[in-house]
Amino acid sequence: MTEESKNRSLLTAREREIFHLLVDDHTTKEIAGRLGISEKTVRNHISNTIQKLGVSGRAQAIVELLRLGELKLH
């Protein structure tokens, strides 16, 4: 495994940003306003992440991202 592939993340920068805000208890509407994107776009990013992980919801996605070290609690 190369150093580059070790550092490669499962999430895009935007997906990571959205999940950090979800963990900080922000709503989809708040995240959209804060990032200057539509609520639909926020939901799409969440949906894409859920599909990547093969889980069935936001809570499971957060648990899996924590387990994988992709997300940290503050």
Side-chain angles (χ1 to χ4, degrees):
M1 192 182 255
T2 67
E3 192 61 34
E4 182 183 328
S5 63
K6 283 183 197 172
N7 294 330
R8 195 171 300 139
S9 173
L10 179 68
L11 302 180
T12 65
R14 184 60 100 186
E15 290 165 347
R16 179 180 312 289
E17 191 172 18
I18 288 169
F19 272 88
H20 277 293
L21 292 169
L22 282 174
V23 165
D24 288 341
D25 207 28
H26 292 280
T27 65
T28 301
K29 185 174 184 171
E30 290 168 343
I31 293 169
R34 185 170 180 160
L35 300 180
I37 59 178
S38 74
E39 287 181 62
K40 174 74 172 138
T41 301
V42 173
R43 288 192 301 273
N44 286 343
H45 283 300
I46 293 167
S47 229
N48 290 342
T49 302
I50 288 169
Q51 282 188 318
K52 282 182 196 180
L53 296 170
V55 296
S56 62
R58 293 176 184 204
Q60 284 185 355
I62 289 168
V63 169
E64 186 65 8
L65 290 170
L66 290 167
R67 189 185 72 75
L68 293 170
E70 290 280 338
L71 199 56
K72 303 265 189 268
L73 294 177
H74 310 291

